[in-house]
Amino acid sequence: MHDGDYTQLPHDRLADLRRALLYRYGAVAARNLRLDMSRGKPGRDQLDLSSGLLDCLTKDDYMSRNGIDCRNYGGLDGLAEMKEIFADILSVEPSEVIVGGNSSLNMMFDNIASNMSHGVRDQVPWQKQGKVRFICPVPGYDRHFAICDYFHIEMIPVPMTPEGPDMDEVERLVAGDGMIKGMWCVPVFSNPDGCVYSEETVLRLANMRPKAADFRLYWDNAYRIHHFEGELRPLPNIIRECEKAGNPHMPLEFFSFSKISFSGAAVSAVVSSASNCEFILKRLSVQTVGPDKLNMLRHARFFKNAAGVYRHMEKMAVLVRAKFDCLDGVLRENLGGKGIAAWNNPGGGYFVSFDTLPGCAKRVYDLCKNAGVALTAAGATYPYGRDPNDSNIRLAPTYPETDELRQAAEVFCLAVELASAEKLLGGFNG
Amino acid sequence: MHDGDYTQLPHDRLADLRRALLYRYGAVAARNLRLDMSRGKPGRDQLDLSSGLLDCLTKDDYMSRNGIDCRNYGGLDGLAEMKEIFADILSVEPSEVIVGGNSSLNMMFDNIASNMSHGVRDQVPWQKQGKVRFICPVPGYDRHFAICDYFHIEMIPVPMTPEGPDMDEVERLVAGDGMIKGMWCVPVFSNPDGCVYSEETVLRLANMRPKAADFRLYWDNAYRIHHFEGELRPLPNIIRECEKAGNPHMPLEFFSFSKISFSGAAVSAVVSSASNCEFILKRLSVQTVGPDKLNMLRHARFFKNAAGVYRHMEKMAVLVRAKFDCLDGVLRENLGGKGIAAWNNPGGGYFVSFDTLPGCAKRVYDLCKNAGVALTAAGATYPYGRDPNDSNIRLAPTYPETDELRQAAEVFCLAVELASAEKLLGGFNG
């Protein structure tokens, strides 16, 4: 059955279509599926690529190259060998890197917590200055938004363009409002829309003139080396560009091995100016006697250097591309030419950003849920879970096995078709 | 040379003594020693006991008993097998345990940060109520004090007695002052004085009637199973006793494997009422996508169960006791009967609490430092680093090898003798 563009169908044809779709949906729902496209979790095949991490240390191998017994306390800023790998990947100096635990999200949370309660570099704590606001490019990452929400930081959505956040709007906002203290950026394969910021966008961000002297750019470079299609277009280095622009302390760059090695047991890092790092270490020295250096040593042994990481990511790319191709294939096959859906087909990252007809995303989410297919909640890609068009859904194809992914994607397509038919008929109960 | 009680010596004998000690000190200082009794760090021999942790997982061993792939994201409250081990050791239910990363200090920091900014169980944030105060038994743990200091929490010192904190004083304080929001306790082998709280002390703590409804008892049970001399006197269970007393949400108990397995790469836990745990997990869900479950699995594989941990700690006891015996021997030999020093000889824990004559601790610290022996800073065992008597020094004998420990202890004794002679002569330059 191919019906062309649904939006052009007469009412009776649509009604027939809806009946047929409902019938198919009923059959699918009865199958009690349990499929999951909700989170950016790597599949088992991806994790297997790092299985060498599990046994790369031996009983006698626990000393770092600087003679640190990694089993004992200490080493607040991380092992030199891991700092070097992070620095090489991000084209910065090892002295600009602090290596953390298994969660870069935690480093972001902590930096914001610190700025709220203790201020940026001993300036007035954000929380004492009034209602703090952050610029949130949309669609965006729900966990970034959750941190803002937790600290009662008001989120100001700014639309994404194919070049990155709408910079006219961003520049206007930061220059005019001294309570705008931060901005979230996922510059490479942005979550969820897969956008890679243009060179111009990066340079304009680095050269911003925020009204707030304590404005901070949260540069979550989680997918920096996660291209699976061709070469990655080189991006200006945010740390260096901010320096050149006279904003040396503005950016905090975050990176993580969570989607390189083991998502639950990787290492993360924050990169910033030397004096920002000092402030971070001052807080860290109160928080902990030191990070897990053995896990850093494991990573250093397994990957050896940045080149080792890149070779690893080439293998990773093959696996991830297969999942994206599978998803894209099912979407094209089932929804192509029907006028009810738009989606990207990114060359990297973890997500497909999918747009339904306005007003259909929640319905699609519910239909999928009832049929046993978990999606990221509709609206999650917007601050406060409020998608003004109720149309954006983030699809995460990596976690399911390919067979399961195909099934899940087919259920999803059916849900999109059904929700669209209902919508075009004038309501879900129409 | 044995001179009996220095405090009874006539001035000229003291002057001769000081000259002789200065001469010996000069010779020691010229040796350029680099010895360290400053921190409670395990020695290499202690770490070697856990070397099996380094290779106990294999490429195919990453699933938890509940079928969780420990390599992937998730599992915010920790692996069931580790919750069980913590619960068995602390005689609580696994559902009352949240397993964290490698630092229980971080869990304490985070709980206080949370209460400051978000309040205890959705009550008014501490920071919005005025100047927050904590009861700090003294001498106590400098890192506890550093957390208070960081959050501008006023520290109220309460003296330790051989039974634990002076409970008359504690009860009076918490009942009278609604801004007293917390109290630090190290109930077993208290840092640094090695005190084990009496049953009466624990029961009185559990039955406190704090004026502040959002008062919290920070029960840092770091040395719960770190006895190296005989059996540990059983202590009432703080979680159960607080429950019985109608204070179910008051205690937060912290425990860590940092001084059981690898100090830098262990697992920690917080234990509290089910609904406290819910609040902690709510914050955790914003902070991270989950803890390092592989390291939990390593610990579960290596120790197997609580009995395995106890067997391990029996071996540990032999090593730690040797260090304490060595230190105590040197102290007795060099300082016994001279009337210038008092110290404890605890049956467990990590520290010897040493008291000089009033006004000598800083001088001893400096003399040791100049001779290449690192001590915990004099005053560190008191809030704000202010020891009113300038007499307490925390000695940590575990980290150095036995030979080094003996050397360090001998230098320390010489410094104590010299500082005492100077003091008794009426001043350092007398």
Side-chain angles (χ1 to χ4, degrees), chain A residues 32-289:
Chain A
N32 290 317
L33 297 171
R34 275 197 62 190
L35 304 167
D36 192 344
M37 287 197 294
S38 71
R39 303 300 316 176
K41 285 173 78 166
R44 178 173 296 204
D45 53 350
Q46 291 171 258
L47 298 170
D48 285 345
L49 289 181
S50 298
S51 62
L53 266 176
L54 284 164
D55 63 2
C56 66
L57 292 187
T58 60
K59 281 192 166 66
D60 300 318
D61 185 13
Y62 48 75
M63 299 297 285
S64 82
R65 72 175 183 209
N66 294 336
I68 293 169
D69 185 336
C70 297
R71 304 171 305 177
N72 219 327
Y73 284 124
L76 215 50
D77 57 341
L79 285 194
E81 33 273 76
M82 270 318 290
K83 291 176 89 160
E84 198 172 278
I85 293 176
F86 279 111
D88 283 353
I89 291 174
L90 299 172
S91 306
V92 296
E93 296 301 317
S95 60
E96 296 170 307
V97 178
I98 296 172
V99 188
N102 76 326
S103 169
S104 60
L105 192 73
N106 203 343
M107 295 186 114
M108 299 174 211
F109 178 98
D110 210 65
N111 191 273
I112 290 173
S114 177
N115 292 339
M116 286 299 284
S117 66
H118 285 72
V120 165
R121 301 160 63 84
D122 289 343
Q123 291 175 50
V124 183
W126 283 354
Q127 71 194 4
K128 287 201 175 157
Q129 296 184 42
K131 187 75 177 170
V132 175
R133 286 186 272 278
F134 263 47
I135 293 178
C136 299
V138 290
Y141 181 29
D142 55 353
R143 289 188 183 272
H144 288 165
F145 302 157
I147 293 175
C148 283
D149 214 18
Y150 182 81
F151 286 106
H152 312 297
I153 293 172
E154 189 184 327
M155 294 177 260
I156 305 177
V158 166
M160 287 291 288
T161 75
E163 309 283 300
D166 176 340
M167 282 309 300
D168 291 342
E169 182 69 359
V170 169
E171 285 164 347
R172 192 186 63 76
L173 283 164
V174 299
D177 183 349
M179 285 311 296
I180 295 184
K181 300 295 189 187
M183 174 176 177
W184 291 111
C185 293
V186 183
V188 178
F189 303 122
S190 175
N191 178 349
D193 57 12
C195 164
V196 179
Y197 291 12
S198 70
E199 182 174 335
E200 190 198 330
T201 298
V202 177
L203 295 179
R204 285 177 73 177
L205 284 165
N207 283 276
M208 285 190 296
R209 290 289 168 256
K211 188 166 180 192
D214 53 357
F215 173 90
R216 286 294 174 265
L217 192 63
Y218 289 87
W219 198 254
D220 184 355
N221 219 341
Y223 307 109
R224 173 71 186 76
I225 56 173
H226 292 67
H227 49 289
F228 47 72
E229 207 59 74
E231 285 294 301
L232 183 63
R233 169 164 53 79
L235 214 64
N237 180 325
I238 192 68
I239 301 289
R240 294 289 85 85
E241 294 303 330
C242 286
E243 222 169 49
K244 282 186 220 161
N247 290 322
H249 309 305
M250 188 171 77
L252 292 144
E253 182 169 18
F254 299 91
F255 190 79
S256 168
F257 273 66
S258 288
K259 288 182 176 99
I260 297 174
S261 64
F262 294 147
S263 300
V267 285
S268 60
V270 59
V271 177
S272 203
S273 69
S275 76
N276 275 355
C277 286
E278 251 176 65
F279 275 86
I280 294 170
L281 287 171
K282 205 169 112 185
R283 178 177 168 99
L284 263 178
S285 74
V286 183
Q287 291 177 300
T288 177
V289 193

Side-chain angles (χ1 to χ4, degrees), chain A residues 285-316:
Chain A
S285 74
V286 183
Q287 291 177 300
T288 177
V289 193
D292 182 343
K293 296 178 296 303
L294 279 178
N295 207 34
M296 294 179 195
L297 191 65
R298 260 178 221 111
H299 279 76
R301 291 280 185 271
F302 180 69
F303 290 107
K304 295 188 176 62
N305 48 38
V309 178
Y310 299 143
R311 280 194 298 275
H312 179 88
M313 291 309 283
E314 283 170 22
K315 293 182 235 168
M316 188 73 80

Side-chain angles (χ1 to χ4, degrees), chain B residues 91-328:
Chain B
S91 305
V92 296
E93 297 300 316
S95 60
E96 295 169 309
V97 178
I98 295 172
V99 188
N102 76 326
S103 169
S104 61
L105 191 73
N106 204 343
M107 295 185 113
M108 300 174 210
F109 178 99
D110 210 65
N111 192 274
I112 290 173
S114 176
N115 292 340
M116 287 298 285
S117 65
H118 286 72
V120 165
R121 300 159 64 84
D122 289 343
Q123 292 174 51
V124 183
W126 283 354
Q127 71 193 8
K128 287 202 176 156
Q129 296 183 44
K131 186 75 177 169
V132 175
R133 285 186 273 277
F134 263 47
I135 293 178
C136 299
V138 290
Y141 181 29
D142 56 353
R143 289 189 183 273
H144 288 165
F145 302 156
I147 293 175
C148 283
D149 214 18
Y150 183 80
F151 287 107
H152 311 296
I153 293 172
E154 187 183 329
M155 295 177 260
I156 304 176
V158 166
M160 287 290 287
T161 75
E163 308 283 300
D166 175 343
M167 282 308 301
D168 291 343
E169 182 69 1
V170 169
E171 285 164 349
R172 191 186 65 74
L173 283 165
V174 300
D177 183 349
M179 285 312 295
I180 295 184
K181 300 297 189 187
M183 175 176 176
W184 291 111
C185 293
V186 183
V188 178
F189 303 121
S190 175
N191 178 349
D193 59 10
C195 164
V196 179
Y197 290 12
S198 71
E199 182 173 335
E200 191 198 330
T201 298
V202 177
L203 295 178
R204 285 176 74 177
L205 284 165
N207 282 276
M208 286 189 296
R209 290 290 169 256
K211 189 167 181 191
D214 52 359
F215 174 90
R216 287 293 174 267
L217 192 63
Y218 289 86
W219 199 254
D220 184 356
N221 219 341
Y223 309 107
R224 173 71 185 78
I225 57 173
H226 293 66
H227 48 290
F228 48 72
E229 209 56 76
E231 285 294 300
L232 183 65
R233 169 164 54 79
L235 215 65
N237 180 324
I238 192 68
I239 301 289
R240 294 288 87 82
E241 293 304 330
C242 286
E243 219 169 53
K244 280 186 219 161
N247 290 322
H249 309 305
M250 188 171 75
L252 291 144
E253 183 170 16
F254 299 90
F255 190 80
S256 169
F257 273 66
S258 287
K259 288 184 177 98
I260 297 173
S261 63
F262 294 146
S263 299
V267 286
S268 60
V270 58
V271 177
S272 202
S273 68
S275 76
N276 276 355
C277 285
E278 251 175 66
F279 274 87
I280 294 171
L281 287 171
K282 206 170 109 185
R283 178 176 168 100
L284 263 179
S285 74
V286 183
Q287 291 176 300
T288 176
V289 193
D292 182 343
K293 297 178 297 301
L294 279 178
N295 207 34
M296 296 181 193
L297 190 65
R298 260 178 222 113
H299 278 75
R301 291 281 184 270
F302 180 70
F303 290 108
K304 295 192 173 62
N305 48 38
V309 178
Y310 298 143
R311 279 193 300 275
H312 179 88
M313 291 309 283
E314 283 171 22
K315 293 182 236 171
M316 189 72 79
V318 176
L319 303 177
V320 177
R321 189 194 302 125
K323 298 284 178 71
F324 275 79
D325 284 351
C326 170
L327 174 61
D328 192 60

